[in-house]
Amino acid sequence: MGEERIVIAAKGFILITNPKTGKTQQLQLDNREYPYVSFATSAGLFCSGAGPDFYCLNPFSGKWVFKGRVQDEAAVFAITEGCNGFIYFVSYPNLLVREFNPAKPKLRTLPSLHAESGYAGTMASGNDGWIYAGIGTEIPSISAFHPKTGKQTSISQHTDGIGTGYVRKGNDGRVYAQYKSAALRSCDPSEPWIELSGGNVLRPTVEPLEGHEYWGAGFHTCHGQLAGAEKLESFDLTEKKLKLTNKIIQVSYETPGAELSTLTAGPDGKLYGTSMHPLMLFRADQKGTELLGSLEQGGGGNICTYAVLNQDTMFGSAYAGGKVYEFSFNKPYAFNENPRLILKADAVHRPRASAIHPFEKQLIFSGFPGYGKRGGSVCVYDPATRELTTISPEALLPDQSTVSLAFDASGNLFGSTSVRTPGGAAELAESASLYKINWMAKKLDRMIVPFRYEKEIPHICVFGNAGLGMTQSSILFQFDCDSLASANVLDWLPYGQPVRGGCIQRGKEVFFLLEHAVVKADISSAAAVYLSVNERITSGGAIIGDSLYFCSGNTLLSLDLNGGEWSWETC
């Protein structure tokens, strides 16, 4: 048995650990994007990606073998090694395929995979040169290609329900697959198995007895295993700990910290928020920041939106899975107790908006659905009865997800939508909408499309009989709360796009956070001014006292709204 290394790809860096000595080396990456999947080649190289970058590392020398870029959001979303020793990987969301020759080393572009979905979750290679990828989220299928001949085939079977195709290589060298799996990167125990060969289905088969290449789950998925009796059982970068069969290796590394998600102001005059990947809850005020800890089933998610019920209670809705946590301001932080997980609503897999009804004191939250689905629900949780009810997109606006919420003085609900499908389903709706629900009658009262082909209206707010909205293209518009007719349109795109949590209302004033500016607007008149910000704003935002707080990556920033050396400018 030769030398071995444990290699962990993280956001912005890589750790290489010698399992015998525990010695660990840290290498910095060129960007701070997330790695989605990694692969240990048969020649002992380590391959992964970060954002559009693909990289190959020799973990024994600690030297880079190759770095290359793919014109896509994430270069490596699925990866495997061919029988020729070449590495094949597929990007997200355009399913671009690249072949990497480690001996040269160089990248070659292959024809992209054709699918409605942007997701490829698994890849496997056959001994006959064919490469297979499990793809889809709404319509599961398996895409096969032969790099040498250029042939492509698609393998699918009519299935009921959404899912993704799944492939894996057995230890016997054969390629096993399922037409559909409920999870993107793991098999489905309830689905039958098939064996693939020559770019097609060879025969039905039973579940392969051999262990598969990947083990673990989520952010703790690992490719390969140590060869000796000492096995890697788990790894946790947050705890800086690698657990082997008979020992624990403590690792150290330097990082600027995880990026921050949205913020809210608590009734105790403090700021609350979480980090992203991993989810860690923090509290802050002018005296400093206090890291409180993780949340039950928080994992690699983050709290996307908050709603304060009263002086004691606040709710936070988190990705992934539509988890809702209940906070008590009158109790200390305690893991699994305060905040505590009170429900999961997968119909709002990616929460984007929440609010407390001004009279009925119910929590309303909404957002995007899960993988392969389009149209998120609006959920209503009654803290008094602990009951959850759901307004489906079919009962509201089919194929659209509500991403912003507001109430008028009568308690009627206003919502704005997105037609995007981050879970990979096909987009069927054309333009985002603005709607009003008569809350007393629980009935959709009115709906308009303010701007054709605008895919999302991430922010709305209401004061009196007027409202303001901001589109994803940074178009600021005013609307009438009765007719929903829009007017007074201003284009703020030169200052970037709106960020998540970037609509903070204070009476008739509202502050919109764009990537490079803060826009202050009067809801009644739609008059607006702006202030350029040197740092890139990534999320927001809350007001405590006279300070506006927002985030730039892993940094919490504040702006004195009473002024300083700066002044608001007109557009």
Side-chain angles (χ1 to χ4, degrees):
M1 184 174 64
E3 288 290 316
E4 294 177 305
R5 295 292 184 272
I6 299 169
V7 188
I8 300 176
K11 189 174 184 182
F13 64 90
I14 287 176
L15 290 184
I16 306 172
T17 299
N18 185 328
K20 291 182 180 178
T21 65
K23 183 180 178 181
T24 297
Q25 177 186 5
Q26 180 176 2
L27 297 178
Q28 298 297 328
L29 297 175
D30 296 332
N31 66 54
R32 283 185 45 77
E33 299 296 332
Y34 293 106
Y36 290 103
V37 62
S38 300
F39 191 89
T41 76
S42 58
L45 302 177
F46 177 83
C47 296
S48 189
D53 297 333
F54 163 80
Y55 52 81
C56 178
L57 169 72
N58 183 333
F60 299 96
S61 67
K63 304 292 185 184
W64 298 110
V65 175
F66 183 83
K67 294 180 182 179
R69 176 156 290 198
V70 174
Q71 298 302 315
D72 210 348
E73 187 175 325
V76 183
F77 211 77
I79 185 170
T80 193
E81 181 175 4
C83 60
N84 54 3
F86 292 1
I87 304 301
Y88 298 89
F89 57 94
V90 177
S91 68
Y92 167 85
N94 292 309
L95 299 181
L96 306 179
V97 183
R98 295 292 185 272
E99 176 191 81
F100 174 62
N101 180 350
K104 294 295 181 179
K106 68 176 183 179
L107 282 179
R108 183 167 76 104
T109 300
L110 300 181
S112 60
L113 306 182
H114 299 290
E116 294 290 336
S117 170
Y119 289 94
T122 51
M123 291 185 77
S125 65
N127 293 329
D128 56 1
W130 280 88
I131 310 292
Y132 305 89
I135 61 177
T137 52
E138 182 182 13
I139 304 174
S141 67
I142 298 165
S143 187
F145 61 95
H146 195 283
K148 190 172 182 179
T149 64
K151 292 181 179 178
Q152 275 199 10
T153 62
S154 180
I155 304 167
S156 62
Q157 186 183 61
H158 176 71
T159 60
D160 52 343
I162 62 173
T164 185
Y166 175 80
V167 299
R168 84 182 191 204
K169 189 169 187 175
N171 289 348
D172 56 3
R174 295 148 67 184
V175 176
Y176 299 88
Q178 292 179 322
Y179 288 112
K180 184 185 78 168
S181 175
L184 189 65
R185 299 190 188 277
S186 59
C187 64
D188 192 326
S190 65
E191 293 293 326
W193 288 87
I194 52 176
E195 183 180 345
L196 306 179
S197 182
N200 289 295
V201 178
L202 180 63
R203 56 182 163 235
T205 187
V206 297
E207 180 177 2
L209 297 176
E210 302 87 354
H212 50 85
E213 297 176 297
Y214 287 93
W215 58 274
F219 289 97
H220 299 95
T221 301
C222 183
H223 180 246
Q225 180 56 274
L226 298 174
E230 193 79 61
K231 302 296 185 186
L232 176 65
E233 294 188 350
S234 64
F235 54 96
D236 190 328
L237 284 190
T238 304
E239 300 293 332
K240 299 185 175 179
K241 184 186 299 181
L242 310 183
K243 185 177 187 305
L244 277 64
T245 305
N246 296 301
K247 64 180 179 182
I248 292 176
I249 298 176
Q250 294 289 344
V251 299
S252 62
Y253 58 87
E254 294 183 356
T255 172
E259 291 193 4
L260 303 179
S261 186
T262 55
L263 306 171
T264 194
D268 56 354
K270 298 180 184 297
L271 201 65
Y272 289 84
T274 67
S275 60
M276 297 189 286
H277 313 298
L279 187 158
M280 299 292 282
L281 177 68
F282 67 88
R283 178 169 57 197
D285 58 18
Q286 290 291 349
K287 296 178 182 177
T289 302
E290 179 185 6
L291 187 62
L292 297 175
S294 57
L295 303 185
E296 181 183 1
Q297 298 184 31
N302 66 98
I303 292 182
C304 311
T305 175
Y306 300 83
V308 176
L309 177 65
N310 52 39
Q311 292 296 311
D312 175 68
T313 303
M314 176 173 74
F315 299 101
S317 302
Y319 168 83
K323 305 183 191 76
V324 177
Y325 296 90
E326 181 177 310
F327 300 65
S328 172
F329 295 104
N330 293 320
K331 298 177 183 176
Y333 163 82
F335 181 71
N336 281 5
E337 296 179 9
N338 186 42
R340 67 185 181 96
L341 179 61
I342 59 171
L343 64 90
K344 292 191 283 188
D346 197 56
V348 185
H349 186 79
R350 293 174 168 85
R352 287 294 180 271
S354 62
I356 301 294
H357 191 275
F359 308 130
E360 299 181 0
K361 300 302 180 186
Q362 297 164 324
L363 168 67
I364 322 295
F365 62 102
S366 63
F368 294 103
Y371 288 107
K373 301 176 183 177
R374 66 183 147 264
S377 298
V378 175
C379 293
V380 183
Y381 173 71
D382 189 333
T385 63
R386 303 289 181 186
E387 292 182 351
L388 177 72
T389 56
T390 299
I391 305 173
S392 70
E394 289 74 23
L396 198 57
L397 298 173
D399 305 321
Q400 302 190 41
S401 299
T402 299
V403 293
S404 187
L405 299 166
F407 291 99
D408 66 10
S410 300
N412 294 315
L413 175 68
F414 294 80
S416 63
T417 72
S418 172
V419 300
R420 296 181 185 277
T421 53
E427 291 182 9
L428 297 185
E430 182 182 72
S431 307
S433 303
L434 174 67
Y435 67 83
K436 177 182 179 180
I437 291 180
N438 182 322
W439 197 252
M440 184 71 74
K442 298 293 189 293
K443 180 181 178 183
L444 181 65
D445 181 65
R446 193 173 295 271
M447 183 280 290
I448 68 163
V449 174
F451 305 97
R452 193 174 181 190
Y453 303 127
E454 279 287 325
K455 290 184 176 294
E456 186 169 319
I457 304 172
H459 302 312
I460 56 170
C461 55
V462 168
F463 183 81
N465 199 41
L468 288 180
M470 177 74 79
T471 74
Q472 99 281 351
S473 300
S474 301
I475 296 173
L476 176 66
F477 65 98
Q478 187 184 40
F479 60 89
D480 181 89
C481 287
D482 291 327
S483 66
L484 300 185
S486 61
N488 299 320
V489 174
L490 290 172
D491 177 12
W492 293 95
L493 190 56
Y495 302 95
Q497 291 185 302
V499 304
R500 192 182 305 173
C503 177
I504 309 100
Q505 185 174 355
R506 185 171 69 171
K508 69 174 184 176
E509 264 186 342
V510 60
F511 299 85
F512 291 106
L513 302 177
L514 306 180
E515 292 170 296
H516 306 295
V518 178
V519 175
K520 181 175 72 171
D522 183 289
I523 301 176
S524 300
S525 67
V529 292
Y530 77 99
L531 180 69
S532 295
V533 177
N534 292 330
E535 295 83 359
R536 182 174 178 270
I537 302 174
T538 54
S539 64
I543 295 175
I544 296 179
D546 291 318
S547 294
L548 171 65
Y549 293 85
F550 50 90
C551 306
S552 178
N554 59 359
T555 305
L556 186 62
L557 302 174
S558 67
L559 181 68
D560 184 355
L561 296 177
N562 282 333
E565 296 179 354
W566 49 267
S567 60
W568 297 99
E569 299 182 62
T570 56
C571 185

